[in-house]
Amino acid sequence: MKYHLSHTRPRSAITRAAFVAATALALVVGSATAPALALPVAAATASTTSTLWGTSAPKGAVVDSDRDSVELGTTFTAKSSGQVQGVRYWKTAENTGTHTGTLWTSGGTKLATATFTSESASGWQTVKFAKPVSVTAGKRYVASYHAPNGRYAATTNLTVPASSSSHLSVANGSGTYKYGASTAFPADSWKSSGYWVDVVFAPTATTAPPAAPAPAPSPAPTATPAPAPQPTSTPKPTPTTAPTPAPSPAGSFAGANNTGPAAAGFTPTQKYTGPMTITTDGTVIKNQVIPAGLRIEANDVTIQGNDIAGPTAISYDQAAIHVEGDRVKILDNNIRGLSATDWTKAPVSAAKLVGDSVSFERNNVSWIAGDGLSLYGADAKIVGNWIHDFVDRADVHYDALHYPVNSISSAGLIRDNTVELWVNGGMTASLSFPDEAGRIVVDHNVIAGGNYALMGGGGGITFTNNLFWTKFSDRVGVYGPYAHLGTIGVVNWSNNAYTADGKTKGANLAY
């Protein structure tokens, strides 16, 4: 999570004065009130298609004063399998130039793109792909368009309904962007902003089964004599179900002795020669040496006891391991760069966990030249990992473990981890959370370093039994142990304390 000055998204070079002036230029589209947005009900664009936002003008949107070239997107989930026929966006009269629309997987793979033609001066604009793209029920995708001259429609702190269509859904914090002169995957977000990008979706047609033929009349049954009565049996008692056991207590903090392959009895020496993109459900990869850049696009995959090492592509922030599938287990691995000082030999991201119900446990993560763990999916279980010794990359800000979204409504558990982020200008936070993260539990971790050790978190998030380590600074982080905590809603905070050695509880840390 990055905190910068901007109207609807971060801009590293904008001054506060410029920001105020730019905000004053914003023009209201359809309404002069600040957005407390109630979205229109999604409507079908034709008898066989549906969209997220319908045909009405988006209430509460403003024309952003930004004039930079930028890709703007919406992350959505297909509730039904079907085909995306094209992309739509709400155009302001100030949004000039040639626009292109693109459909992506949630991990950044481009699926289709097309150029808008014959646009009107303003209003909804639609482009159809040369070939519709098939999408799978339950999967997330990103629809985007490129605005070469900025001045796009935007809504800060966009509130969307839980379900916007019978076939499509979109959550709060779904708006994304990426600055650049050409089309690029929009992975950044700012203050739950929405940019009014949409899709044209056709669900897979279902055919009703043919009516069963009327049965032939049956002959009258022959009467049979009534059987002799049987003695009544005594019913057996129903066994009592054992109560569900309580969750196990937190274990030891993570470190060199209980993370990585060796601690779990693995000695990876065999070079991995399989595919770098896993597409087969149930795949198991154990005890091998794997180049960084492994991608999991299947469900129920296990990656355990491996040494995953090497640099990754900086052009799209490639992770050493990227998980799109659900119920994937990443256990007991080394995930690392090849140098403690040369960032060109290190992954620019350790792990991106996009799928749901991913278990990331007992991994030793080190020598990373960018974000450590990036969590996107629901019900993540991040337990017993040692995340440490990042490689400095000039002019780049990164977190050790974060949710790079503005809100998350699903559960998540972060427990027994030791997270160490050096303190310098490039390190933002050891742990970073959305302002709305009410079902996230952060329990029994050691947290050190960063500009702040902990940044963000609210809406009912729970922080318990954590130790804030003064390893790099007597303030824990450069500026303090936490910031932007409880901006929205409440924070459940108990038994958190300082530590001088990373294991012994010291003075209580109040919130």
Side-chain angles (χ1 to χ4, degrees), residues 33 35 77 82 87 168 179 188 194 259 273 295 301 306 344 399 446:
T33 58
T77 299
V87 171
L168 305 168
Y179 283 106
D188 299 326
T259 62
T273 58
R295 186 178 180 89
V301 172
N306 303 285
T344 64
D399 303 321
V446 175

Side-chain angles (χ1 to χ4, degrees), residues 403-447:
Y403 281 85
V405 296
N406 289 104
S407 65
I408 185 164
S409 60
S410 61
L413 176 64
I414 298 171
R415 172 177 284 170
D416 297 341
N417 304 283
T418 298
V419 184
E420 306 172 34
L421 189 65
W422 288 340
V423 290
N424 64 31
M427 310 302 184
T428 302
S430 292
L431 303 183
S432 182
F433 298 96
D435 291 333
E436 297 180 89
R439 298 178 61 199
I440 303 299
V441 174
V442 185
D443 176 64
H444 197 256
N445 303 278
V446 175
I447 310 165

Side-chain angles (χ1 to χ4, degrees), residues 166-329:
S166 60
H167 302 291
L168 305 168
S169 68
V170 61
N172 293 337
S174 60
T176 58
Y177 72 92
K178 188 71 174 182
Y179 283 106
S182 59
T183 294
F185 179 60
D188 299 326
S189 62
W190 177 244
K191 288 188 176 296
S192 295
S193 297
Y195 303 108
W196 302 106
V197 192
D198 202 347
V199 292
V200 179
F201 176 77
T204 301
T206 57
T207 303
S218 302
T222 303
T224 56
Q230 299 294 321
T232 302
S233 59
T234 303
K236 296 180 180 180
T238 302
T240 302
T241 302
T244 302
S248 58
S252 302
F253 293 120
N257 295 327
N258 57 1
T259 62
F266 294 96
T267 54
T269 57
Q270 178 181 348
K271 184 177 180 180
Y272 175 71
T273 58
M276 290 300 290
T277 298
I278 307 302
T279 57
T280 302
D281 290 351
T283 297
V284 176
I285 303 175
K286 292 186 177 183
N287 206 31
Q288 300 193 48
V289 178
I290 306 174
L294 187 67
R295 186 178 180 89
I296 313 298
E297 295 186 353
N299 298 326
D300 303 299
V301 172
T302 298
I303 309 296
Q304 186 174 23
N306 303 285
D307 187 22
I308 304 171
T312 59
I314 189 174
S315 59
Y316 60 101
D317 197 33
Q318 184 186 26
I321 184 163
H322 183 122
V323 177
E324 287 283 325
D326 298 335
R327 300 177 302 281
V328 173
K329 296 180 180 179

Side-chain angles (χ1 to χ4, degrees), residues 67-258:
R67 298 179 183 273
D68 291 338
S69 179
V70 63
E71 190 84 13
L72 303 157
T74 297
T75 301
F76 68 95
T77 299
K79 297 169 67 176
S80 305
S81 294
Q83 293 184 324
V84 172
Q85 298 180 352
V87 171
R88 310 164 69 228
Y89 78 98
W90 179 261
K91 181 181 180 181
T92 67
E94 297 80 3
N95 188 347
T96 60
T98 300
H99 303 95
T100 55
T102 305
L103 181 70
W104 316 78
T105 68
S106 60
T109 300
K110 184 186 293 185
L111 300 176
T113 190
T115 301
F116 289 84
T117 59
S118 303
E119 292 189 6
S120 60
S122 62
W124 285 110
Q125 313 296 320
T126 301
V127 65
K128 296 291 186 70
F129 298 133
K131 182 179 179 181
V133 179
S134 295
V135 296
T136 303
K139 291 293 185 180
R140 288 181 293 273
Y141 300 88
V142 177
S144 71
Y145 80 99
H146 192 75
N149 300 312
R151 304 289 281 161
Y152 44 84
T155 303
T156 305
N157 295 319
L158 176 64
T159 300
V160 299
S163 178
S164 305
S165 165
S166 60
H167 302 291
L168 305 168
S169 68
V170 61
N172 293 337
S174 60
T176 58
Y177 72 92
K178 188 71 174 182
Y179 283 106
S182 59
T183 294
F185 179 60
D188 299 326
S189 62
W190 177 244
K191 288 188 176 296
S192 295
S193 297
Y195 303 108
W196 302 106
V197 192
D198 202 347
V199 292
V200 179
F201 176 77
T204 301
T206 57
T207 303
S218 302
T222 303
T224 56
Q230 299 294 321
T232 302
S233 59
T234 303
K236 296 180 180 180
T238 302
T240 302
T241 302
T244 302
S248 58
S252 302
F253 293 120
N257 295 327
N258 57 1

Side-chain angles (χ1 to χ4, degrees), residues 252-254 418 444-447 465-470 497-506:
S252 302
F253 293 120
T418 298
H444 197 256
N445 303 278
V446 175
I447 310 165
N465 307 308
N466 300 289
L467 296 182
F468 287 75
W469 193 4
T470 56
Y498 291 97
T499 180
D501 59 7
K503 57 184 178 181
T504 306
K505 181 180 177 180

